[in-house]
Amino acid sequence: MRTQREEFEKKWIASIRIGDKEIFGEIYDHYWKRLLAISFQHTKDKELAEEIVQDVFVSVWQRRQDVKIDNLDRYLATAVKFSTFKFLQRRRRQELIREEVLPHDQMQLDEEAIDARFLQEYVNGVVETLPDRCRLVFQLSRSEQMTHREIADTLDISEKAVEANITRALKVLRVSLRKVGFTFLAFLFF
């Protein structure tokens, strides 16, 4: 013997099959909060849970003539749980793939590499504008990592001249970097 609730659900199921939008709206209103709670319990994300529940209702409506529903309450709860678990599994898989493909913090490293490359190119451009001897002394000091004594011997100039040229180059770089907003970087690099 069927209960009153079962008879009511049977009418709702029949109304879904024939495409009764008004009854479908009532079903939606009746089950929405419960289904949202089920999905939220697993996702801990209200917007995501709402999207999952919405997708389940859309799917039921689109497949209304083909779907076999015996118990609407159980069917919707199971569909939401399945959709939630499927989404979470897909997200976990995407994260695993991302971790396998990209080393940890790769995106941050990429941004840092881009910033460093931009800064290096900018500094190289500024160095190219220096007078010849100043540029050469600076490049030997920074690129070749030669000591002041080695530069002085190589160029046949005094160590004081080497220091003066490096000081001049650093001053030009600091001023130039400040103009484009790299004050803290100028401090770090020079």
Side-chain angles (χ1 to χ4, degrees), residues 16-17 59-69 75:
I16 291 172
R17 278 213 179 92
S59 176
V60 168
W61 182 256
Q62 289 174 340
R63 300 178 313 119
R64 66 186 172 272
Q65 294 174 345
D66 302 322
V67 73
K68 303 280 189 247
I69 302 174
Y75 179 85

Side-chain angles (χ1 to χ4, degrees), residues 137-146 148 151 166 170 173 189-190:
V137 168
F138 184 80
Q139 287 173 334
L140 290 173
S141 170
R142 294 307 190 253
S143 300
E144 303 298 321
Q145 300 177 349
M146 293 173 72
H148 290 195
I151 295 170
I166 290 174
L170 290 173
L173 282 168
F189 286 111
F190 308 108

Side-chain angles (χ1 to χ4, degrees), residues 84-169:
T84 301
F85 294 140
K86 186 175 168 185
F87 174 84
L88 293 174
Q89 183 181 27
R90 191 169 47 244
R91 182 166 37 176
R92 272 190 228 109
R93 180 70 183 134
Q94 289 170 342
E95 288 170 3
L96 286 173
I97 291 170
R98 224 177 276 121
E99 287 176 9
E100 289 173 9
V101 173
L102 296 174
H104 295 293
D105 303 323
Q106 183 65 39
M107 287 179 62
Q108 183 179 352
L109 290 175
D110 287 345
E111 288 179 24
E112 289 172 2
I114 290 168
D115 290 343
R117 185 171 179 179
F118 171 77
L119 179 61
Q120 185 62 53
E121 288 177 8
Y122 184 81
V123 167
N124 291 345
V126 172
V127 168
E128 289 302 314
T129 66
L130 296 172
D132 290 339
R133 178 165 289 187
C134 185
R135 180 178 66 243
L136 181 58
V137 168
F138 184 80
Q139 287 173 334
L140 290 173
S141 170
R142 294 307 190 253
S143 300
E144 303 298 321
Q145 300 177 349
M146 293 173 72
T147 65
H148 290 195
R149 176 86 248 141
E150 292 169 332
I151 295 170
D153 290 344
T154 301
L155 298 178
D156 197 27
I157 58 176
S158 70
E159 282 187 61
K160 286 278 186 194
V162 170
E163 289 175 23
N165 279 296
I166 290 174
T167 300
R168 181 178 182 189

